[in-house]
Amino acid sequence: MGKVISECWGIPTEPNPERYFVKVGLYQLYNDTDPNVEIYNLFEIILHPKYDSRKFYNDIALMRPDRAISFETFVIFPICLWPAHNPTLIDVLSQSGIAVGFGFDESHRISETLQQASMRVIEKQKCIEQLPEHVRFLPQDVGKLCAIGTETGANVCSGDSGGGLYFAKDQVWYLRGIVSAAARMDLDNGESSCNAALPATYTDVAQYASWIKAHQRMVDQRNLLKLQDCGKANNAEIRDEMQKPVFNQYPWNVLLEFRQLDKAQIHLVCSGVLVHPRYVLTVGHCIDGIFGNYKLKSVRLGEHNIRTLEDSEAGVTTTTQSVDIEQVLFHPSYNQPLYSNNLALLKLKHNADTAKPNVKPICLPSIDDYKESCLTLSGWKRNKYLFPKLERDAMNLSSVVNCRKDYEKLGIHLPATEDVLCGVYKERPAGHCHNYATGSPLQYLKRVDNVPRYFLAGMMMFNFPYCRANGSEMFVNLDSASEWIKDTVK
């Protein structure tokens, strides 16, 4: 279930399949002839960036329908969001609310008719104490509240997930909670159902008001730089990313071309990513002070095999573009504190030719996205020298806290900033010591307007030393850089 908060948005509470639809104005669950029911396909689902599918923490998402929801029939209305600036609008501990849904009834069957029940919110500590030990983690999320039916046996259950918990003030209804998870009990027939005698947990919508508002403000902004052709995924019909061809699959990968002073020879040391026809994003420390007698001269776009003048596969032949750099622009807080905001934009002397199949910009997220645990790292590996062909690997996100501890053991003290992302190789043979070049992009797939696109999650900053198979690679993300990038790339 979910609820409408505006003509452009609704709120569910869990991940959904790629292809689905929503019904609004529904009263009879299986009545397909109700004239008040409207069906909408969905263009996009936006999970909270810190959603935890194991613990149901930050258990909230936004759905964007394929068209604006109509309120002209006076049957369908949006619910008022709890104002973030006034969390005490209603004292929910002293006033009961109403939960609505199609959940299991007293006979443990899905109700065919929309039901409501009166609920009272209980203090979180009392909630934790009442729940069985194995589910006491549920209400410990700061974004959760607990409620239980005011009448014996009345509570939310399976099928109610995503349903609202509403409170009224001055004849106006406000959404405060959405049904998240509850304790279960075993039935005599061997099945299980919800335990109505115990409190259920709800996502506290008031805690996420700013996140919701941020997405409402940019309803027409699909990516940070509003590019129409960014990140389009070739071979989208192949589900397994590792089974897709590498050739032209990640056409935003860039090589930085350094030249030694007074010499013509090109040295390929670091990587970057094309984010706009005129701009390449890279890691700041690649440019700042590492190569004292080298100068960054240009970028190479559309490369696949550095040892060939042309690349060809499946009847497609490509050549590279080398474009000189007009200006290097460091993040305004670069290296403040040490290792943070480690980004630089390279402004090219002219636009890259993105009409070519091997040169395209990647999409940048407008605000932080939810990312599946498995992402894709692409680029050129190196030990002493750069390997010739573009490669890719699957990466699993890992704990930033544990990652920092691992690096501290090596004497590298990383700042406790939000612009760090850590990952380990999903599969890396022991003794495999070939690392991706600094600046290699870490990306994820996201369906926007029913089009699968790649978005940039981060850029390789540090390789874990000592050839350790499970060592965390460290990436710089865009957490503190989005506004700077948007303001710079105009």
Side-chain angles (χ1 to χ4, degrees):
M1 281 190 63
K3 66 271 331 136
V4 177
I5 59 172
S6 78
E7 70 275 9
C8 297
W9 297 100
I11 304 181
T13 55
E14 58 185 16
N16 288 274
E18 286 185 6
R19 299 180 182 276
Y20 59 97
F21 59 86
V22 294
K23 293 182 177 181
V24 297
L26 196 64
Y27 178 68
Q28 297 288 342
L29 187 60
Y30 301 115
N31 183 358
D32 294 329
T33 61
D34 188 341
N36 294 317
V37 173
E38 295 285 344
I39 299 176
Y40 294 84
N41 293 317
L42 293 179
F43 265 164
E44 187 177 6
I45 179 167
I46 302 170
L47 292 162
H48 191 276
K50 295 184 179 179
Y51 169 65
D52 187 328
S53 59
R54 294 181 302 106
K55 294 183 176 181
F56 301 108
Y57 287 1
N58 301 298
D59 193 12
I60 188 170
L62 290 168
M63 301 182 295
R64 187 167 65 85
D66 59 353
R67 62 193 190 278
I69 295 173
S70 173
F71 303 136
E72 293 180 357
T73 63
F74 300 104
V75 174
I76 300 165
F77 292 93
I79 185 67
C80 294
L81 285 175
W82 204 277
H85 63 277
N86 188 10
T88 59
L89 174 70
I90 300 171
D91 184 358
V92 296
L93 290 175
S94 63
Q95 178 179 331
S96 61
I98 297 293
V100 178
F102 292 96
F104 280 20
D105 56 23
E106 60 276 3
S107 60
H108 305 291
R109 293 187 177 90
I110 289 289
S111 172
E112 296 185 9
T113 304
L114 191 64
Q115 299 183 96
Q116 71 174 44
S118 177
M119 298 287 160
R120 60 181 177 87
V121 174
I122 63 175
E123 293 179 354
K124 185 167 287 190
Q125 186 56 41
K126 186 179 293 185
C127 174
I128 294 171
E129 293 170 356
Q130 289 183 23
L131 290 175
E133 188 171 350
H134 69 281
V135 292
R136 286 181 179 172
F137 66 88
L138 288 172
Q140 293 180 20
D141 177 15
V142 295
K144 284 285 196 306
L145 56 81
C146 294
I148 193 169
T150 58
E151 298 181 9
T152 303
N155 209 337
V156 294
C157 193
S158 299
D160 286 320
S161 294
L165 177 61
Y166 309 104
F167 291 84
K169 182 182 177 70
D170 300 328
Q171 297 184 323
V172 176
W173 285 98
Y174 292 89
L175 174 66
R176 181 58 189 259
I178 42 182
V179 180
S180 177
R184 302 184 69 81
M185 65 178 182
D186 295 327
L187 302 177
D188 294 337
N189 61 5
E191 297 179 356
S192 67
S193 184
C194 308
N195 191 338
L198 296 175
T201 61
Y202 297 72
T203 299
D204 187 353
V205 177
Q207 303 292 331
Y208 299 93
S210 60
W211 174 73
I212 295 170
K213 294 290 187 184
H215 278 286
Q216 286 181 311
R217 285 194 298 268
M218 53 177 227
V219 64
D220 293 321
Q221 186 174 320
R222 307 293 183 260
N223 58 81
L224 182 70
L225 301 179
K226 300 183 180 180
L227 301 180
Q228 296 297 316
D229 61 345
C230 67
K232 285 187 178 178
N234 297 324
N235 306 295
E237 72 281 359
I238 302 175
R239 305 278 302 178
D240 185 351
E241 187 72 18
M242 295 300 107
Q243 297 302 314
K244 297 175 182 178
V246 176
F247 182 70
N248 283 352
Q249 188 67 27
Y250 313 101
W252 32 84
N253 279 266
V254 173
L255 286 166
L256 307 191
E257 297 183 329
F258 290 84
R259 285 187 173 87
Q260 198 169 1
L261 299 180
D262 301 325
K263 294 185 179 180
Q265 183 181 0
I266 291 174
H267 296 268
L268 304 172
V269 182
C270 291
S271 296
V273 61
L274 189 68
V275 298
H276 180 276
R278 192 74 184 272
Y279 286 87
V280 167
L281 184 66
T282 189
V283 170
H285 76 248
C286 262
I287 304 167
D288 179 36
I290 289 184
F291 311 107
N293 59 336
Y294 287 80
K295 180 176 178 60
L296 179 60
K297 181 72 168 56
S298 52
V299 297
R300 186 182 300 182
L301 311 169
E303 183 63 279
H304 181 72
N305 186 341
I306 64 173
R307 293 179 180 170
T308 60
L309 293 176
E310 293 183 343
D311 295 307
S312 184
E313 191 172 304
V316 177
T317 300
T318 61
T319 57
T320 64
Q321 302 174 35
S322 184
V323 184
D324 285 348
I325 293 169
E326 179 179 298
Q327 188 178 9
V328 176
L329 301 154
F330 287 95
H331 189 289
S333 299
Y334 168 66
N335 242 6
Q336 301 173 19
L338 187 64
Y339 302 127
S340 67
N341 304 303
N342 196 353
L343 291 168
L345 278 167
L346 310 178
K347 185 177 182 180
L348 309 182
K349 284 196 173 179
H350 59 79
N351 281 6
D353 183 359
T354 58
K356 306 295 185 183
N358 59 330
V359 179
K360 305 287 182 185
I362 195 171
C363 296
L364 301 181
S366 298
I367 58 178
D368 194 17
D369 272 334
Y370 171 79
K371 305 170 189 69
E372 297 288 349
S373 61
C374 189
L375 289 82
T376 305
L377 176 61
S378 64
W380 290 267
K381 293 180 181 178
R382 62 178 302 116
N383 43 32
K384 184 177 180 182
Y385 300 105
L386 200 69
F387 285 23
K389 286 188 177 181
L390 182 76
E391 299 184 50
R392 58 122 186 269
D393 276 284
M395 301 290 293
N396 288 328
L397 294 181
S398 58
S399 165
V400 175
V401 174
N402 293 338
C403 178
R404 285 195 181 99
K405 291 178 180 178
D406 287 342
Y407 277 86
E408 282 177 6
K409 294 175 183 176
L410 304 174
I412 301 173
H413 299 279
L414 301 167
T417 54
E418 295 294 326
D419 64 341
V420 169
L421 199 64
C422 291
V424 296
Y425 288 95
K426 189 174 182 181
E427 295 179 2
R428 190 183 197 188
H432 184 93
C433 300
H434 306 142
N435 296 312
Y436 281 87
T438 300
S440 297
L442 183 69
Q443 56 240 307
Y444 60 99
L445 268 173
K446 176 183 173 183
R447 186 172 288 273
V448 179
D449 294 348
N450 285 332
V451 176
R453 298 178 185 269
Y454 287 98
F455 281 75
L456 184 65
M459 306 187 73
M460 176 69 75
M461 187 162 60
F462 295 123
N463 302 114
F464 197 86
Y466 305 131
C467 197
R468 204 174 84 182
N470 61 346
S472 288
E473 310 291 84
M474 181 158 287
F475 302 86
V476 55
N477 65 31
L478 307 183
D479 184 77
S480 62
S482 294
E483 289 303 314
W484 164 66
I485 293 172
K486 187 168 65 173
D487 291 343
T488 303
V489 182
K490 293 180 180 178

